[in-house]
Structures are given as C-alpha cells and as structure tokens.
Amino acid sequence: MAAILAAIAVLSSSAGEKIEKSPLYKDASQPIAVRVNDLLGRMTLDEKIGQTNQRSVAVGMHDLGGWVPQFEQGHIGSIMNVSSPQVADSIQRIMLNKSRLGIPVLIARDVIHGYKTIFPIPLGQAATFNPDIARKGARVAATEASSDGIRWTFAPMLDIARDARWGRIAEGCGEDPYLTGQMGQAMVEGFQGGLAGDPTSLAACAKHFVAYGAAEGGRDYNSTFVPERVLRQTYLPPFRQAIDAGALTIMASFNDNDGIPVSANRHLLTDILRGEWKFPGFVVSDCFAVRELISHGVAADAADASRQTMNAGLDMEMETGHYLETMRGLIENGHVSEARLDSAVAAILYVKFAMGLFEDPFVHTPQSVKYSAEHLAAAKEAALQSAILLKNENNTLPLKPNRINRILLTGPLADARYDQLGTWIFDGEKEHTVTLRHGLDELCRKKGIAMDFVESLKYTRHDNLSGIDAAVTAARNADAIVVAVGEEAIFSGEGHCMASLNLVGRQSELVERLSATGKPVVMVVMAGRPLTIKPEIDRSAAVLYAFHPGTMGGPALADLLLGVTSPSGKTPVTFPLTTGQVPIYYNHNNTGRPANGTEIGLDGIPEDAGNTFLGCTSYYLDAGHKPMYPFGYGLSYGCFEYSDLKLSAGEYGKDQTIKARITVANNGTMDATETVQLYVRDHVASVTRPVKELKQFRRVPLRKGEKQTIEFELPVSELSYIGADLRPRIDSGDFTLFIGGNSETTLSAIFSIK
C-alpha cells in the first residue's frame, strides 16, 4: 500500500490548480494510484474513518430512513445486506450527489454458492475436481447478485478443514491445499469477472485468514495452535494463490492462533500480507470480531480493540461501528497514527476504483438473469459432477428399465426443497428447488419405470415409526429402493458443529428395516460434511453421496441413478470410519512408528493380556488407522485401469520439469470420466514431510473401451516445502511419484533431484 500512497508524493502548484477545477480522482484515465492519492489528500479525518466503517441494514429494506445522514456525511464505507436494486441505486445516488466527495459505497452480501440459482455447497464443488465448475458457479452467482446491486461477496472460503465436526467444512474446498488453491482461484476469477466497467463483477473476499479450519475439537470460533511452518506450508498457500489471481479483499478469521486473535496479528496482516505478498486490497474483520477481542481477553474495551486491530493491519471493521466511534480519539491521542489510517483508506479506495464504482456504481444487470435456463443448466452440471459413487455392489446402479420395473423412493431428503440447497443460501428460494422426488419421477416416466414415493420421515430428526412402517410395506412391491438420508441444511455452516458424525434420528433404523426386506437398497446421502455411516453403507447395495447439491440437485441425481450419465465426483476430504478418528487427512506425516496393517485389534487381544505390546504403531485399537474412504476416492459406471507409468528421466535438476506419462483405459460398458491424480512423496527432508501430497489432477472423459495416454508436466520447483528455517527449499535426493484414482494409489515411480 505504501506504493500507492507514494505514487504521487508531491504535486506542483500548477497541477494543484488544475486539480481544483477537475479533480484527478474523477478522471478515469488516470492510474488508480494517482486517483487514490489525490482523493485521500482531500478527505477530512472523519471521512477517512467513515471508509473503514461497514454496517448492516435490514435485508431487502425499502426505506433508507435514518441511514441517510450517515451516507451524506461519508460515515459509511460499505453496507451489508441490501438486496434491492432500487435501494442500492438510491444509496449510490446519495453518495455521488449529496456526500461531499462523491465516494460510492461498496454493497456487500454473503453470496457463497449461488444467489438465486443455488449450486452445490463449496465442498460439493470441490468434489468435482473441476475448477471450471467453480468458476462458472461463481460467475452465475455474481451475475444474479449484481442484479440487486450487490458488488462484494464474502467468498471464497479457503480454510483447510481436516475435522468434519466443524460446521464450516461445508463452506470450503476440503483438506488439501492444492485442490483448495485451484478451486479458490477459479472462484475468484468467476466472482470478479471483468471488474472495472463490468456491472456483473463482485469483489471476491478470500476468507478466513488464517487457520480457522484448525479450530480445536472442530468447534466453531475456537482457538488454534498452528506453528508458522505449518501455516506457510498448509494454510497460507491457497490465500496466496487467490491474491495472485486478483482477489481484492481478505477477511481476517475469528480464531486466536497461539494466543493472538488474527484480527490483531500484525505479523499475519501486515508483515506477510502487505510486506511479503504486496497485497494491494483491504482486510475486513469478520462480523463483530473487533469487539470480540474483549471476549478473547486481550482488549480492555472497544477503543483498545480498535487500536490493536487497526495497528495490526485490519482496514475495515464489520458491523459494530467501533472504528467510527473510537478512531478519532485514538489518532488525537497518538495511539493510532493518521498514516496508518491513510494506508487503510487507500486500500479501500483502491478496491472501489478497481471495480469502476466511481464511474458507475448503479445496477445494470436485468432481473431476468435470475434462474435463467443457462444458469439452471450450469447448476445441474455442477450437481452431476459433484456426486460421489461410494459403493456399487453387483452393479446395482444404474437402475435400468430392463431390470427394474418399479422403484420406491423414500427418506427425509427425498423431497426436501430447503435442505437440498444446503447452508449459506440467504437468498435461495426453496420454491425453485427441483427435488430428487420430482427429478426421479419425471425421468422414470420417460424411461417407463413406475415410481412410488413414501415420505417415511418428514425431516432427519423426525421420530415417526408409522412412516417407516409405511415405507417398508411399500418396499414389498418395488424392485429397488432409493432412500435419501443425511443432514438438514441447518446442521452445517457457521456455528453448526457436531460432536457426532452419525446419522441423526431414526434414519439408521429406516435404512436397516428397508435392507431387511431383501430388496436392493440404494442410499443417497445429502449432507454438509462426510458422515460416519459404515453400518448404513454395509446395509446398502449402492451409495451415492451428494454434498447438498443445490437447486438442480434432483434432476442431476436422477440422471445418475438411472444411468443417463456416470458419476465422476471424488472425495475432497477423507471420510472417517468413526468420529473418534478426526482430525483425519491423507497428507499426514509418517511418524516414527507408522501403522503397517499388521496391528492387533480389540478382537485379537487375549484375555488377561496384561501390559502386552500390540504392535506399538500409530493406530486405534478399535478402529485401526484407515479411513472409511480416502481423499480423492470415487467410483464410476466405467471401469478404469491404470498402466505403463513412465517418467521422462530418472534424475532432474532443480530448474527442470518432470514429465510423467500414464495410460488409462475404460474397460467398462459405459462412457465415464475419471479424475487422474498425481501425488509426490519426499523420502528424506530437513523436517518430516507428508506421506503423499497432491500436485496435479486432470478430469479425463473416456468412452467405453477407450484408452488414453495422459501426460503431466510438473516443475521441480513445485516440490519445494518450508524448511526448519521457515524458508522454501527443495531437497536433493529421492522422491516417489504416484498416479492413480485416489490418494491410496500405489502405482508409482522413483526419481531423484540432484
């Protein structure tokens, strides 16, 4: 930001005369740095403070009421939760025509995985392993939101999440830094579009900076203890990638890390973001986070909290108004320098100029974009690619007319218009949801298959044995049973954490009793996180897992169940066997005593065993060390075979590129898409390293009987890691490169770096 402030240090007196006639900041032909510097020099202290103040209004308000004086006086830099184009335009007209300097307001809203047309939750989008899906989803969301005057969204969430108990795992892209970085970059590009001059652009906000996903116990807002090397290796890279992609804003996280709340952490917000990364945009607090320094026990009052956060590098305060109330006094008393305030305001103005709001902040996107045919088609494609086939015993799926005459559909998620949309859908409208019931019924009619629907359970917590009885009775007439279970939308998202990952209510009983009929049970799971459902999986012939799939989830799931297309989703997080295994993730360190599969479980311990050694490796007596499903796992109606892994050389220099070639064949009877994944392991390093790390992936469509040779190019520079001295380094020595269909692939080749 110093570069922007210093871009024009001194203006000649003659230039000054011209500025008074035609202010430079109003001249769109001038560089942004020049415009920022000129405008900043014209602002009063109170106007500067006003830019750091973000407030919230009643959603959909139609009367600005008492807000008008604050707008006219320039006391608000951003406003949240306006969702009316008329109100949005009224606010901007006040700012441009009645405030002294005509600085537009940045209108913000949580637009996470859709605005009106709802896409799968971000965790579901990550399951596609397809950044283009994320890019299109963000573009649709931005287009629809801009039709109501919204120009800033608090997304994407780039928190690495390895504990499924944490409710906000639904809002991110899973456990892997590389996958999260690729999907997050695509979302930034989709939200921001063409920026200046593009009325559909939304400023992206990469959140939560940083390590929020490591909250202890999977409990929201909780403390974290992530050392700097792990921060730099695992949690920071997706944010750096988002900034490199042009993300205009960053949101600081709620958590304290090693005792320092991130909102007051100068090392993170200034030294790394500004100093190392040269981030030009601004940092906003999360809602009420400045006030919460008092609850953390590091600030005495609102003024103290404002002092610490502003000095740390937090530029805009969300919701509480503490900056507006206390900043003048803090500056007059020397507790905050006006130069630091100038830096914050310059960053905020930079974003507004970059978006072209000074030229035209008004709504130009027509209302007709909402639920357009193009948007609905994109949402359906995202739902199709996000669903994960976890099990398919005896090729139960797809359900084909030549084998199936009648299907029973039941379960609490079969016709759940609201819950199918998932968390963070403030503006989603359940009336537009096409549920599994309606999607399957329509497709069954086309295929000549009869479908019966029995509600059984109205919602996941419903305690209704009579409904289960009715479903079991109806099952006697069916050739196959599709039962939709999982989580209500309210079970995931911010503040919605779970101590148990089992199915709630009578859902397990429903699956058990349906299975007892002897009819093949196809379990469809809709949830905001991976669930521990081994008993239910064991009782099902096939399992299709759909992280809450959004508006068009019903038709997408119907297409997959009846074989219109093949499932292609992959697990973006490790699925634990039991809740007691979490946090569990594939790219863990090996430990000095890694589990090797020969360990003794509870059933193998003899009576009166005493203090007997049982292997002395890193595992659980009652659950072993393996997850239910590994990262990157997902079946298909195709049958993929990997062979002939070859590297271009056995040894590489640190400035060279590794070229790997693999042959993938679809030996199945259906066309299908496989996500080919490349992992690397560093054998010997200066610090312990993960057993595997995802480095690249590629979705490969293969017709039945088709074989393709896939080539990857991996620069050796991407093998770098953060060493004990906190600096990036690449080791000389041996590495193993793996290619396959999930993180447990064993097809590998060894190479060395000289």
PDB file of all heavy atoms in Angstrom, residues 132-150:
ATOM      1  N   ASP A 132     -13.294 -25.367 -13.459  1.00  0.00           N
ATOM      2  CA  ASP A 132     -14.216 -24.667 -14.350  1.00  0.00           C
ATOM      3  C   ASP A 132     -15.632 -24.661 -13.783  1.00  0.00           C
ATOM      4  O   ASP A 132     -16.382 -23.706 -13.997  1.00  0.00           O
ATOM      5  CB  ASP A 132     -14.201 -25.314 -15.740  1.00  0.00           C
ATOM      6  CG  ASP A 132     -14.869 -24.431 -16.782  1.00  0.00           C
ATOM      7  OD1 ASP A 132     -14.574 -23.215 -16.818  1.00  0.00           O
ATOM      8  OD2 ASP A 132     -15.706 -24.948 -17.555  1.00  0.00           O
ATOM      9  N   ILE A 133     -16.006 -25.707 -13.074  1.00  0.00           N
ATOM     10  CA  ILE A 133     -17.314 -25.737 -12.407  1.00  0.00           C
ATOM     11  C   ILE A 133     -17.393 -24.624 -11.371  1.00  0.00           C
ATOM     12  O   ILE A 133     -18.395 -23.902 -11.275  1.00  0.00           O
ATOM     13  CB  ILE A 133     -17.551 -27.108 -11.741  1.00  0.00           C
ATOM     14  CG1 ILE A 133     -17.840 -28.180 -12.796  1.00  0.00           C
ATOM     15  CG2 ILE A 133     -18.686 -27.034 -10.717  1.00  0.00           C
ATOM     16  CD1 ILE A 133     -19.191 -28.062 -13.468  1.00  0.00           C
ATOM     17  N   ALA A 134     -16.328 -24.474 -10.570  1.00  0.00           N
ATOM     18  CA  ALA A 134     -16.297 -23.422  -9.557  1.00  0.00           C
ATOM     19  C   ALA A 134     -16.322 -22.037 -10.193  1.00  0.00           C
ATOM     20  O   ALA A 134     -16.987 -21.124  -9.701  1.00  0.00           O
ATOM     21  CB  ALA A 134     -15.051 -23.585  -8.692  1.00  0.00           C
ATOM     22  N   ARG A 135     -15.597 -21.884 -11.289  1.00  0.00           N
ATOM     23  CA  ARG A 135     -15.559 -20.590 -11.989  1.00  0.00           C
ATOM     24  C   ARG A 135     -16.941 -20.222 -12.523  1.00  0.00           C
ATOM     25  O   ARG A 135     -17.412 -19.093 -12.350  1.00  0.00           O
ATOM     26  CB  ARG A 135     -14.537 -20.651 -13.123  1.00  0.00           C
ATOM     27  CG  ARG A 135     -14.280 -19.317 -13.801  1.00  0.00           C
ATOM     28  CD  ARG A 135     -13.208 -19.445 -14.876  1.00  0.00           C
ATOM     29  NE  ARG A 135     -11.901 -19.808 -14.323  1.00  0.00           N
ATOM     30  CZ  ARG A 135     -11.355 -21.017 -14.377  1.00  0.00           C
ATOM     31  NH1 ARG A 135     -12.003 -22.024 -15.011  1.00  0.00           N
ATOM     32  NH2 ARG A 135     -10.182 -21.257 -13.855  1.00  0.00           N
ATOM     33  N   LYS A 136     -17.607 -21.186 -13.153  1.00  0.00           N
ATOM     34  CA  LYS A 136     -18.943 -20.922 -13.693  1.00  0.00           C
ATOM     35  C   LYS A 136     -19.949 -20.653 -12.581  1.00  0.00           C
ATOM     36  O   LYS A 136     -20.815 -19.779 -12.707  1.00  0.00           O
ATOM     37  CB  LYS A 136     -19.396 -22.105 -14.541  1.00  0.00           C
ATOM     38  CG  LYS A 136     -18.671 -22.236 -15.869  1.00  0.00           C
ATOM     39  CD  LYS A 136     -19.148 -23.464 -16.645  1.00  0.00           C
ATOM     40  CE  LYS A 136     -18.421 -23.599 -17.979  1.00  0.00           C
ATOM     41  NZ  LYS A 136     -18.823 -24.837 -18.702  1.00  0.00           N
ATOM     42  N   GLY A 137     -19.848 -21.408 -11.493  1.00  0.00           N
ATOM     43  CA  GLY A 137     -20.766 -21.198 -10.381  1.00  0.00           C
ATOM     44  C   GLY A 137     -20.631 -19.811  -9.789  1.00  0.00           C
ATOM     45  O   GLY A 137     -21.638 -19.151  -9.488  1.00  0.00           O
ATOM     46  N   ALA A 138     -19.396 -19.343  -9.615  1.00  0.00           N
ATOM     47  CA  ALA A 138     -19.175 -18.006  -9.085  1.00  0.00           C
ATOM     48  C   ALA A 138     -19.643 -16.936 -10.059  1.00  0.00           C
ATOM     49  O   ALA A 138     -20.178 -15.900  -9.659  1.00  0.00           O
ATOM     50  CB  ALA A 138     -17.697 -17.825  -8.755  1.00  0.00           C
ATOM     51  N   ARG A 139     -19.468 -17.190 -11.347  1.00  0.00           N
ATOM     52  CA  ARG A 139     -19.910 -16.224 -12.353  1.00  0.00           C
ATOM     53  C   ARG A 139     -21.429 -16.102 -12.360  1.00  0.00           C
ATOM     54  O   ARG A 139     -21.983 -15.002 -12.449  1.00  0.00           O
ATOM     55  CB  ARG A 139     -19.408 -16.672 -13.743  1.00  0.00           C
ATOM     56  CG  ARG A 139     -19.661 -15.643 -14.850  1.00  0.00           C
ATOM     57  CD  ARG A 139     -18.533 -14.633 -14.945  1.00  0.00           C
ATOM     58  NE  ARG A 139     -18.452 -13.699 -13.826  1.00  0.00           N
ATOM     59  CZ  ARG A 139     -19.080 -12.538 -13.754  1.00  0.00           C
ATOM     60  NH1 ARG A 139     -19.857 -12.143 -14.750  1.00  0.00           N
ATOM     61  NH2 ARG A 139     -18.925 -11.745 -12.731  1.00  0.00           N
ATOM     62  N   VAL A 140     -22.127 -17.228 -12.251  1.00  0.00           N
ATOM     63  CA  VAL A 140     -23.588 -17.199 -12.175  1.00  0.00           C
ATOM     64  C   VAL A 140     -24.031 -16.447 -10.927  1.00  0.00           C
ATOM     65  O   VAL A 140     -24.930 -15.593 -10.973  1.00  0.00           O
ATOM     66  CB  VAL A 140     -24.163 -18.632 -12.177  1.00  0.00           C
ATOM     67  CG1 VAL A 140     -25.631 -18.623 -11.786  1.00  0.00           C
ATOM     68  CG2 VAL A 140     -23.977 -19.279 -13.551  1.00  0.00           C
ATOM     69  N   ALA A 141     -23.400 -16.741  -9.805  1.00  0.00           N
ATOM     70  CA  ALA A 141     -23.755 -16.078  -8.556  1.00  0.00           C
ATOM     71  C   ALA A 141     -23.535 -14.569  -8.651  1.00  0.00           C
ATOM     72  O   ALA A 141     -24.382 -13.772  -8.211  1.00  0.00           O
ATOM     73  CB  ALA A 141     -22.932 -16.652  -7.414  1.00  0.00           C
ATOM     74  N   ALA A 142     -22.416 -14.163  -9.224  1.00  0.00           N
ATOM     75  CA  ALA A 142     -22.116 -12.739  -9.357  1.00  0.00           C
ATOM     76  C   ALA A 142     -23.121 -12.042 -10.266  1.00  0.00           C
ATOM     77  O   ALA A 142     -23.592 -10.940  -9.968  1.00  0.00           O
ATOM     78  CB  ALA A 142     -20.699 -12.562  -9.896  1.00  0.00           C
ATOM     79  N   THR A 143     -23.441 -12.691 -11.360  1.00  0.00           N
ATOM     80  CA  THR A 143     -24.390 -12.092 -12.301  1.00  0.00           C
ATOM     81  C   THR A 143     -25.746 -11.880 -11.646  1.00  0.00           C
ATOM     82  O   THR A 143     -26.345 -10.795 -11.749  1.00  0.00           O
ATOM     83  CB  THR A 143     -24.533 -12.979 -13.548  1.00  0.00           C
ATOM     84  OG1 THR A 143     -23.250 -13.120 -14.177  1.00  0.00           O
ATOM     85  CG2 THR A 143     -25.512 -12.383 -14.546  1.00  0.00           C
ATOM     86  N   GLU A 144     -26.238 -12.903 -10.961  1.00  0.00           N
ATOM     87  CA  GLU A 144     -27.551 -12.778 -10.324  1.00  0.00           C
ATOM     88  C   GLU A 144     -27.523 -11.772  -9.174  1.00  0.00           C
ATOM     89  O   GLU A 144     -28.459 -10.970  -9.014  1.00  0.00           O
ATOM     90  CB  GLU A 144     -28.024 -14.146  -9.840  1.00  0.00           C
ATOM     91  CG  GLU A 144     -28.317 -15.118 -10.979  1.00  0.00           C
ATOM     92  CD  GLU A 144     -28.992 -16.403 -10.523  1.00  0.00           C
ATOM     93  OE1 GLU A 144     -29.076 -16.639  -9.294  1.00  0.00           O
ATOM     94  OE2 GLU A 144     -29.442 -17.156 -11.387  1.00  0.00           O
ATOM     95  N   ALA A 145     -26.479 -11.788  -8.361  1.00  0.00           N
ATOM     96  CA  ALA A 145     -26.407 -10.876  -7.220  1.00  0.00           C
ATOM     97  C   ALA A 145     -26.286  -9.428  -7.668  1.00  0.00           C
ATOM     98  O   ALA A 145     -26.864  -8.523  -7.048  1.00  0.00           O
ATOM     99  CB  ALA A 145     -25.227 -11.256  -6.329  1.00  0.00           C
ATOM    100  N   SER A 146     -25.559  -9.197  -8.749  1.00  0.00           N
ATOM    101  CA  SER A 146     -25.389  -7.827  -9.224  1.00  0.00           C
ATOM    102  C   SER A 146     -26.698  -7.220  -9.710  1.00  0.00           C
ATOM    103  O   SER A 146     -26.841  -6.002  -9.746  1.00  0.00           O
ATOM    104  CB  SER A 146     -24.338  -7.772 -10.337  1.00  0.00           C
ATOM    105  OG  SER A 146     -24.798  -8.425 -11.515  1.00  0.00           O
ATOM    106  N   SER A 147     -27.660  -8.065 -10.048  1.00  0.00           N
ATOM    107  CA  SER A 147     -28.961  -7.545 -10.479  1.00  0.00           C
ATOM    108  C   SER A 147     -29.705  -6.884  -9.328  1.00  0.00           C
ATOM    109  O   SER A 147     -30.666  -6.134  -9.554  1.00  0.00           O
ATOM    110  CB  SER A 147     -29.818  -8.662 -11.088  1.00  0.00           C
ATOM    111  OG  SER A 147     -30.295  -9.543 -10.092  1.00  0.00           O
ATOM    112  N   ASP A 148     -29.278  -7.145  -8.095  1.00  0.00           N
ATOM    113  CA  ASP A 148     -29.877  -6.496  -6.926  1.00  0.00           C
ATOM    114  C   ASP A 148     -28.927  -5.492  -6.279  1.00  0.00           C
ATOM    115  O   ASP A 148     -29.128  -5.079  -5.131  1.00  0.00           O
ATOM    116  CB  ASP A 148     -30.304  -7.546  -5.897  1.00  0.00           C
ATOM    117  CG  ASP A 148     -31.597  -8.247  -6.291  1.00  0.00           C
ATOM    118  OD1 ASP A 148     -32.326  -7.706  -7.147  1.00  0.00           O
ATOM    119  OD2 ASP A 148     -31.875  -9.332  -5.750  1.00  0.00           O
ATOM    120  N   GLY A 149     -27.868  -5.118  -6.992  1.00  0.00           N
ATOM    121  CA  GLY A 149     -26.983  -4.062  -6.517  1.00  0.00           C
ATOM    122  C   GLY A 149     -25.818  -4.525  -5.680  1.00  0.00           C
ATOM    123  O   GLY A 149     -25.030  -3.706  -5.193  1.00  0.00           O
ATOM    124  N   ILE A 150     -25.659  -5.819  -5.493  1.00  0.00           N
ATOM    125  CA  ILE A 150     -24.571  -6.361  -4.674  1.00  0.00           C
ATOM    126  C   ILE A 150     -23.288  -6.371  -5.497  1.00  0.00           C
ATOM    127  O   ILE A 150     -23.274  -6.841  -6.630  1.00  0.00           O
ATOM    128  CB  ILE A 150     -24.927  -7.780  -4.190  1.00  0.00           C
ATOM    129  CG1 ILE A 150     -26.189  -7.720  -3.325  1.00  0.00           C
ATOM    130  CG2 ILE A 150     -23.771  -8.421  -3.444  1.00  0.00           C
ATOM    131  CD1 ILE A 150     -26.885  -9.041  -3.153  1.00  0.00           C
TER     132      ILE A 150
END
